Amino acid sequence: MSDETRAPDDDLRAAGALLSAAEPSQRAAGYRRQAARTAPGADALRAWAVATVLPRAGREPDGPALSALVDVLGAAQDERALPVLLELAGHPDGEVRLAVAKALPFVGEPVQDSPRVRALLALSRDAAPPVRDAAVFGLGTLGEAYGPAVRAALHERLDDEDEEVAEEAVRGLANRQDASVLPRLIDLLETYVEPHPLTLSAAAVLGRPELLPVLAELAAERPEDRRIAAALEACDPARREERSALAWRLLEDLAVRRPDLDAALAWDRFSADLRLEVRHPAEPGSYLLDGLLRRAGHDPSGAAALVDADFPPTA
């Protein structure tokens, strides 16, 4: 038996044995156990999971077991699974399509107009709301999903009858700095007593001053909600300018204190978070800027001292 097909431990050997059971529920249980182990697993474990599960995809007739099989492929995030996922995207069982929609964003290379993006576009119009929700999430968060067809699909879902789908569409368009989503975003912030986390995330990423009145009202009603406070700060030009000034002072202080460190400020795409990235010969480091400044009492020099203490001087 090759290393690729040998189960890494007794638990996975037991899970693998269930895959040959006659009862579909037992096979589903085996796949679920594999998926739970594969998601945080090492590369070797992921490779084993794909080698074990992929050949079974074409002969697994039962819906629950097949959807659990797809969960393993999504957890493994292995390119070899993509053809199977694309084939199953049109499966008659909604649970299988849901598993495919959840898996596709994590399987395949980031290529514009890729097959996985086209599959997610089709699934974003699925009859089942959970499938649409998962597909719109994928379209909204995939870095390569930038074409006009994706934007049109997200706009199409803004008034979806399912609230979760509409929230995902709003966030996807906010991620792309599409200001045309502002009226729908404001409507969502005003409509619900407790704003959905996705809506607040969309507001923070979009960062437009037009959102300040509704966010200020929410902050007054819920002063303890840090998500509302973060969105309010991201949309306030004065606070953003202050944040930028603190960030640059931190960089300047760190350069004086530790000229041996290569530090830079960075934004992740589709995020309102500003990060401080530090390169060090022993081990690189990354800090969320707002959290670092809070730890230092919003003192840039104090924040630089915290970073200094985390990295031993180089010889």
Side-chain angles (χ1 to χ4, degrees), residues 53-111:
V53 167
L54 200 57
R56 298 176 178 272
R59 58 179 189 268
E60 184 58 79
D62 181 73
L66 185 56
S67 63
L69 179 153
V70 172
D71 289 340
V72 180
L73 299 179
Q77 302 183 14
D78 192 300
E79 182 81 19
R80 291 174 293 173
L82 186 57
V84 170
L85 295 178
L86 294 174
E87 183 178 348
L88 292 174
H91 195 278
D93 190 313
E95 290 300 317
V96 175
R97 298 195 307 277
L98 174 59
V100 170
K102 289 181 176 179
L104 278 172
F106 305 101
V107 178
E109 293 298 320
V111 179

Side-chain angles (χ1 to χ4, degrees), residues 206-217:
L206 196 57
R208 297 292 293 254
E210 293 93 329
L211 296 168
L212 284 175
V214 64
L215 288 171
E217 186 175 334

Side-chain angles (χ1 to χ4, degrees), residues 8 34 102 113 119 132 174 176 226 244 254 270 282 295 303 308:
Q34 288 193 19
K102 289 181 176 179
D113 194 33
R132 295 199 304 275
R176 287 153 179 78
R226 291 187 60 181
S244 297
L254 188 59
F270 302 163
R295 285 170 54 201
D308 181 11

Side-chain angles (χ1 to χ4, degrees), residues 19-312:
L19 305 187
S20 300
E23 178 59 42
S25 62
Q26 289 185 295
R27 297 198 303 276
Y31 291 127
R32 285 194 292 270
R33 285 170 66 176
Q34 288 193 19
R37 288 287 305 280
T38 302
D43 289 344
L45 193 155
R46 291 168 182 257
W48 171 82
V50 173
T52 303
V53 167
L54 200 57
R56 298 176 178 272
R59 58 179 189 268
E60 184 58 79
D62 181 73
L66 185 56
S67 63
L69 179 153
V70 172
D71 289 340
V72 180
L73 299 179
Q77 302 183 14
D78 192 300
E79 182 81 19
R80 291 174 293 173
L82 186 57
V84 170
L85 295 178
L86 294 174
E87 183 178 348
L88 292 174
H91 195 278
D93 190 313
E95 290 300 317
V96 175
R97 298 195 307 277
L98 174 59
V100 170
K102 289 181 176 179
L104 278 172
F106 305 101
V107 178
E109 293 298 320
V111 179
Q112 283 282 358
D113 194 33
S114 63
R116 67 172 177 168
V117 169
R118 293 195 293 272
L120 287 169
L121 284 170
L123 290 167
S124 74
R125 301 178 177 93
D126 197 273
V131 178
R132 295 199 304 275
D133 183 44
V136 173
F137 165 80
L139 291 172
T141 55
L142 278 178
E144 77 266 26
Y146 251 91
V150 172
R151 288 177 180 267
L154 293 174
H155 274 283
E156 192 177 311
R157 300 270 67 83
L158 285 177
D159 295 312
D160 196 282
E161 62 185 19
D162 185 271
E163 177 191 338
E164 296 282 341
V165 178
E167 302 274 2
E168 287 288 4
V170 167
R171 186 173 69 155
L173 289 166
N175 284 344
R176 287 153 179 78
Q177 294 296 305
D178 189 332
S180 69
V181 80
L182 273 169
R184 185 69 175 111
L185 178 52
I186 292 171
D187 177 62
L188 289 173
L189 289 169
E190 290 177 337
T191 299
Y192 299 101
V193 175
E194 183 172 354
H196 195 287
L198 294 180
T199 307
L200 293 171
S201 172
V205 171
L206 196 57
R208 297 292 293 254
E210 293 93 329
L211 296 168
L212 284 175
V214 64
L215 288 171
E217 186 175 334
L218 287 170
E221 295 170 354
R222 298 174 176 272
E224 76 290 345
D225 194 323
R226 291 187 60 181
R227 296 170 303 178
I228 295 174
L232 184 64
E233 183 169 328
C235 295
D236 187 332
R239 294 191 186 184
R240 290 172 66 177
E241 185 176 346
E242 179 185 3
R243 183 196 197 199
S244 297
L246 290 173
W248 284 113
R249 283 177 53 198
L250 166 57
L251 272 184
E252 290 170 351
D253 287 354
L254 188 59
V256 172
R257 182 185 290 268
R258 289 294 301 276
D260 59 312
L261 294 180
D262 182 10
L265 296 169
W267 260 298
D268 288 326
R269 179 180 284 183
F270 302 163
S271 172
D273 293 326
L274 185 60
R275 291 181 295 104
L276 177 70
E277 297 289 343
V278 180
R279 293 183 183 177
H280 186 267
E283 185 178 357
S286 180
Y287 303 82
L288 286 176
L289 179 73
D290 292 335
L292 179 62
L293 286 170
R294 276 197 299 271
R295 285 170 54 201
H298 296 279
D299 174 22
S301 297
L306 290 174
V307 175
D308 181 11
D310 285 341
F311 294 93

